[in-house]
Amino acid sequence: MKKRVLSVYPYILIFLFSLMGTYLIFYKGINTGDDYRFHFANIIEQYETLLSKHELSPISGILAMGLGSGTRLFYSPLPHLTVALLSLFMRLYNLGIIAAYKMVIVLTVFISGIFMYRFAMHFSKNNKVASLLAAACFVLYPYRLFDAFCRLAFAEAYSFMFLPLFFMGIYDITHDEKTKIVSFIEIIIGGSLLFLSHNLTAFFTFLVGIIYLLVNIKSIIIKFKDKRFISYVIISIFTLCGIASIAFISQLELMGLDIYNLTDDVRMWTNIEAVLKRTGQEFDYSGFLNVIYLCSKFKDYITLSSLIVGLIMYIIACIIFVILEFALKEIKRLKNFHLLISSFVLFLCVSLIDVRIEIYLGTIVFELLYLFAIFSKNQTISNKDKKIYKDSLFWFCIVMIIVMIFMMENKWIWTVLPSIMLKIQFPWRLWAIVQLLVSILVGLIGYYLNYKKCCLVTLSILVGFLIVSNEPLIEKRMVHHVNNGGWVNEIDYESVNYSSSLGWNKEYLPKVFYQADYQCEYSNSLYYKIVPKLTKNSHYSDQYDYYYEPIILNYSNGGNVAVNEAFSPYYDFNVDLNNDGSIIQMPLIYYPGYEICATNTNTNEVITLRGENIDGFVSFTLDQGSYQITTNYVATTARKISYVWFLTSIITLSGMIIYACIFENKKEKKDANKKSETK
């Protein structure tokens, strides 16, 4: 019975810690942030499209005044689609998009905690105390919460869910004596979903993963003697890339055209000057308590002394609790009450200071971890004979943390690194990897030094301190209480219908839309009518009135156009052309992959054309006659290949999972039975 409780209890605690670390979700409404409009606009767009039963195309039918923004051709829709689908389900219970978004945030934190716990169980040889400490650290570490609540970098925060899973697979491959397909499944799922969540986080994570494999190259070389290992490696690379191909093939293809803002390194802040400018700002964006910033922003509500005293008193209160608990335990009369008395004193000490909710939560986290460590003392394995400094993972984490901090702080390193590394934009994104590495370190220390009670106590205090010193929680709590405009209670399309909904840099729109000296070949081009409204840094006030019709560019008396139906990328219209070689320009932003189907209403001849780029809009040419025309996005050849590759990879992954569940598990059970028989 005790073993069953111990096996379930860590997951309950991880869930509780997830709620504590995201307690702001219980406030009505949600805070705004740098990327608030971009992410919620895309969530709402997918939600509304699904609700209206339109096809969920890579081309938006709602954003950018309905002109067919191709955000999803560049940006993976996985995080937004998760919220949109959950919103449709929660609609049955009269709950909106904000509620669905909050639930996704909590679930991603909780699931990442489970993955981290399972990962730690691997490198700590099933030590539950060490594993829970590692998971709690990963769940409560401030940087992810800073992304989720301050910057509202939703996709980046979402991607953290898969970091431990990917590294668990990397670790298992290098440390398992036998070749197991499960390890490769972990890498495939973790790596592909990490990329489909946030490609920049994935890129730098993959680099760190490759470095770890190189550090353990000896064990890899030995395993290459096993033919199964070689086949698993090949299949895994194919499958991981195949699942991720649904995003990266389109991204590479469109970037190769060099006609969108995404390839403008100045506009995108990916040139060396921009990256150097943001180097050395790592603490401001780390998520740890920035007392100077908070005191200046909320000077009427927060004082420097109260923040600092709170941090110190939390540590002192925890130490008093531990000393008192050990002392009272020795008194026989208090044998059944020592913990209750110690807990009372702990919270009494905490309540004596200028209390904020984060200190109470940190205290609860500490005590729960401490109790679990004490309750599980008979389950821990003494590692006095095993030295932590002999573990390569320990040194790898320390060295990589130093490297990550050096990269965030030092400007020189970016001048010598390959230019592709500048895509990071903000060096402090590397806190994501530091968060993982620190959590692993906590787990390793808890495993190797679990025989020292002071070590487990110290780690428990430090993990609780992550909430106490957590800036996003106190900052956004104050924003909510002060009500200074950084909080919204309702979100609909009207509230995100701004140009910033397309991204701060309008990265997925054609460059010509932002060239002040650009001159169109034709004076009646839609460019002059649409672009000034599309690119202004304000609200799209005419979103329901625009419905710009297709026009005939090259003839003043070119013919007549009558639109029957329009929801980007789909258009259905009739046109009578008076001249051969008439160029029709569509009110659709150009992306390669558009197909135009023109049916001659007199002869019933069907002509299929590919969209061409004129002034950043989809265009095509037809001869004189009457036509019924439909336009739709059918994807480029490369993107179609990615569809096939993606589907093939999903089938392959499913086969690997079935094989692991049925055959590999049976084989392990047989081996275990043989060992027990021989004994």
Side-chain angles (χ1 to χ4, degrees):
M1 183 65 181
K2 189 175 181 180
K3 288 184 177 180
R4 289 182 180 179
V5 172
L6 280 172
S7 62
V8 175
Y9 194 54
Y11 298 103
I12 296 174
L13 287 183
I14 292 170
F15 181 68
L16 289 176
F17 296 157
S18 301
L19 292 178
M20 292 180 192
T22 58
Y23 76 84
L24 290 172
I25 65 164
F26 295 107
Y27 287 27
K28 182 181 179 182
I30 196 167
N31 57 283
T32 59
D34 293 341
D35 299 330
Y36 145 72
R37 285 200 174 98
F38 172 77
H39 289 297
F40 272 99
N42 281 277
I43 291 168
I44 289 171
E45 190 275 333
Q46 293 181 39
Y47 172 78
E48 294 290 347
T49 300
L50 291 169
L51 197 61
S52 62
K53 298 181 181 179
H54 282 97
E55 178 186 354
L56 193 61
S57 167
I59 306 296
S60 167
I62 297 175
L63 297 179
M65 301 191 300
L67 294 165
S69 169
T71 301
R72 288 193 291 276
L73 291 171
F74 301 85
Y75 204 98
S76 173
L78 178 61
H80 303 141
L81 188 59
T82 303
V83 180
L85 291 173
L86 185 58
S87 298
L88 289 175
F89 173 74
M90 295 181 69
R91 188 168 176 266
L92 300 173
Y93 302 94
N94 295 319
L95 296 172
I97 289 175
I98 290 180
Y101 174 84
K102 290 177 176 181
M103 185 172 290
V104 168
I105 290 294
V106 174
L107 286 175
T108 58
V109 174
F110 175 52
I111 293 171
S112 73
I114 293 176
F115 285 151
M116 189 67 226
Y117 178 76
R118 297 307 308 169
F119 178 22
M121 287 286 279
H122 288 206
F123 65 71
S124 70
K125 308 300 185 291
N126 294 322
N127 186 299
K128 293 181 175 63
V129 175
S131 299
L132 181 60
L133 285 166
C137 180
F138 191 73
V139 163
L140 299 173
Y141 201 90
Y143 179 67
R144 189 228 314 256
L145 301 178
F146 184 83
D147 271 349
F149 293 122
C150 292
R151 293 180 58 226
L152 228 76
F154 172 54
E156 188 174 349
Y158 184 98
S159 71
F160 280 51
M161 178 165 47
F162 306 109
L163 284 172
L165 181 60
F166 175 75
F167 269 93
M168 180 162 61
I170 294 287
Y171 178 85
D172 289 347
I173 282 178
T174 56
H175 287 78
D176 283 348
E177 293 181 3
K178 296 181 180 179
T179 299
K180 295 181 181 179
I181 198 170
V182 173
S183 305
F184 294 91
I185 292 173
E186 292 164 353
I187 290 177
I188 293 169
I189 297 176
S192 60
L193 295 183
L194 178 62
F195 186 88
L196 292 178
S197 302
H198 195 256
N199 54 13
L200 285 177
T201 302
F203 175 76
F204 284 90
T205 301
F206 292 164
L207 286 180
V208 175
I210 291 170
I211 293 172
Y212 187 73
L213 290 175
L214 292 174
V215 169
N216 294 274
I217 192 66
K218 287 184 178 180
S219 63
I220 298 294
I221 292 173
I222 293 171
K223 289 192 175 183
F224 264 106
K225 295 177 182 179
D226 185 348
K227 292 181 180 179
R228 284 190 310 154
F229 184 82
I230 297 173
S231 61
Y232 288 166
V233 168
I234 295 171
I235 292 171
S236 297
I237 293 173
F238 171 85
T239 308
L240 192 158
C241 293
I243 296 174
S245 71
I246 201 74
F248 81 77
I249 282 185
S250 176
Q251 294 166 2
L252 292 176
E253 181 183 32
L254 292 170
M255 289 177 67
L257 296 176
D258 194 27
I259 62 175
Y260 302 100
N261 287 329
L262 193 65
T263 56
D264 185 339
D265 60 353
V266 175
R267 187 181 191 93
M268 291 303 299
W269 310 327
T270 55
N271 60 338
I272 186 64
E273 291 79 14
V275 173
L276 293 183
K277 183 179 179 181
R278 290 167 175 81
T279 304
Q281 300 177 340
E282 70 279 0
F283 180 75
D284 293 340
Y285 296 90
S286 66
F288 285 101
L289 210 59
N290 189 334
V291 293
I292 297 175
Y293 167 76
L294 288 173
C295 291
S296 62
K297 186 172 183 177
F298 305 106
K299 57 185 177 182
D300 294 332
Y301 305 91
I302 297 176
T303 63
L304 181 64
S305 60
S306 66
L307 289 176
I308 295 176
V309 168
L311 298 176
I312 296 172
M313 284 301 297
Y314 160 78
I315 297 174
I316 293 175
C318 291
I319 294 173
I320 291 173
F321 165 83
V322 174
I323 295 173
L324 188 62
E325 205 272 331
F326 275 104
L328 295 178
K329 214 190 307 186
E330 301 301 320
I331 303 175
K332 291 183 179 180
R333 293 181 180 180
L334 299 177
K335 184 178 180 181
N336 298 321
F337 303 101
H338 65 88
L339 189 58
L340 185 63
I341 296 171
S342 301
S343 299
F344 174 77
V345 173
L346 172 64
F347 285 94
L348 180 63
C349 292
V350 168
S351 64
L352 292 177
I353 59 179
D354 186 9
V355 180
R356 52 186 175 90
I357 188 172
E358 295 81 18
I359 296 179
Y360 276 124
L361 292 176
T363 304
I364 294 171
V365 168
F366 155 71
E367 185 163 7
L368 288 174
L369 289 173
Y370 174 82
L371 291 177
F372 185 76
I374 298 301
F375 184 68
S376 308
K377 62 182 179 180
N378 295 326
Q379 308 298 319
T380 58
I381 302 171
S382 178
N383 292 295
K384 291 183 179 180
D385 298 330
K386 294 182 180 181
K387 306 301 181 183
I388 190 171
Y389 59 80
K390 291 183 179 181
D391 193 319
S392 62
L393 181 59
F394 172 75
W395 290 111
F396 176 81
C397 290
I398 289 179
V399 171
M400 290 309 301
I401 288 172
I402 293 172
V403 170
M404 296 293 112
I405 294 175
F406 180 77
M407 291 176 68
M408 287 188 278
E409 178 65 28
N410 193 279
K411 298 180 183 295
W412 168 82
I413 189 66
W414 296 100
T415 62
V416 297
L417 287 173
S419 59
I420 191 173
M421 303 287 281
L422 299 177
K423 297 297 181 184
I424 196 173
Q425 292 180 313
F426 318 118
W428 32 263
R429 288 189 197 272
L430 296 173
W431 278 118
I433 299 171
V434 172
Q435 175 169 336
L436 177 72
L437 297 174
V438 168
S439 301
I440 295 172
L441 270 181
V442 167
L444 286 171
I445 295 170
Y447 166 58
Y448 281 101
L449 303 179
N450 68 71
Y451 60 90
K452 293 185 176 181
K453 291 182 180 179
C454 63
C455 173
L456 296 180
V457 168
T458 302
L459 291 176
S460 300
I461 293 174
L462 289 177
V463 172
F465 191 74
L466 292 175
I467 283 192
V468 178
S469 61
N470 204 301
E471 179 177 316
L473 296 180
I474 184 173
E475 179 184 343
K476 293 308 174 183
R477 176 170 59 82
M478 292 305 302
V479 168
H480 180 269
H481 292 332
V482 175
N483 193 22
N484 63 356
W487 208 274
V488 293
N489 292 323
E490 293 182 6
I491 292 180
D492 54 21
Y493 183 68
E494 279 292 323
S495 63
V496 294
N497 189 32
Y498 287 76
S499 60
S500 57
S501 297
L502 302 177
W504 278 109
N505 301 310
K506 316 300 185 292
E507 49 263 50
Y508 312 121
L509 297 182
K511 290 181 180 180
V512 295
F513 287 4
Y514 298 88
Q515 294 175 3
D517 58 348
Y518 181 76
Q519 294 293 321
C520 301
E521 183 178 349
Y522 304 100
S523 60
N524 64 331
S525 173
L526 288 172
Y527 183 96
Y528 296 114
K529 187 177 183 180
I530 293 176
V531 170
K533 296 180 180 179
L534 178 65
T535 58
K536 64 183 179 179
N537 292 318
S538 61
H539 191 276
Y540 296 143
S541 58
D542 59 350
Q543 61 166 317
Y544 295 118
D545 302 324
Y546 87 91
Y547 287 119
Y548 301 112
E549 291 190 345
I551 63 168
I552 302 166
L553 282 178
N554 52 341
Y555 292 102
S556 58
N557 186 23
N560 299 313
V561 176
V563 176
N564 303 317
E565 184 181 354
F567 188 86
S568 303
Y570 180 78
Y571 259 79
D572 182 343
F573 63 99
N574 291 89
V575 61
D576 296 317
L577 301 176
N578 299 331
N579 306 281
D580 288 343
S582 296
I583 301 175
I584 300 175
Q585 188 181 49
M586 300 294 300
L588 292 169
I589 299 168
Y590 174 77
Y591 302 98
Y594 269 96
E595 183 178 270
I596 293 90
C597 183
T599 304
N600 191 308
T601 55
N602 296 321
T603 65
N604 289 327
E605 178 187 5
V606 179
I607 303 171
T608 302
L609 304 167
R610 284 283 180 174
E612 298 177 358
N613 180 18
I614 296 181
D615 305 328
F617 294 97
V618 175
S619 306
F620 57 94
T621 303
L622 283 174
D623 289 334
Q624 181 181 9
S626 297
Y627 299 90
Q628 191 267 325
I629 297 174
T630 59
T631 69
N632 210 346
Y633 179 83
V634 297
T636 62
T637 302
R639 189 167 175 84
K640 288 178 181 177
I641 291 173
S642 74
Y643 295 157
V644 177
W645 193 2
F646 174 80
L647 182 59
T648 305
S649 298
I650 292 294
I651 295 171
T652 303
L653 177 61
S654 301
M656 294 173 72
I657 293 172
I658 292 170
Y659 177 83
C661 293
I662 298 176
F663 299 103
E664 200 168 79
N665 279 348
K666 282 186 177 180
K667 189 177 179 182
E668 287 184 4
K669 287 180 180 179
K670 284 182 180 179
D671 293 341
N673 290 334
K674 285 181 180 179
K675 284 184 179 180
S676 61
E677 288 174 3
T678 54
K679 287 181 180 179

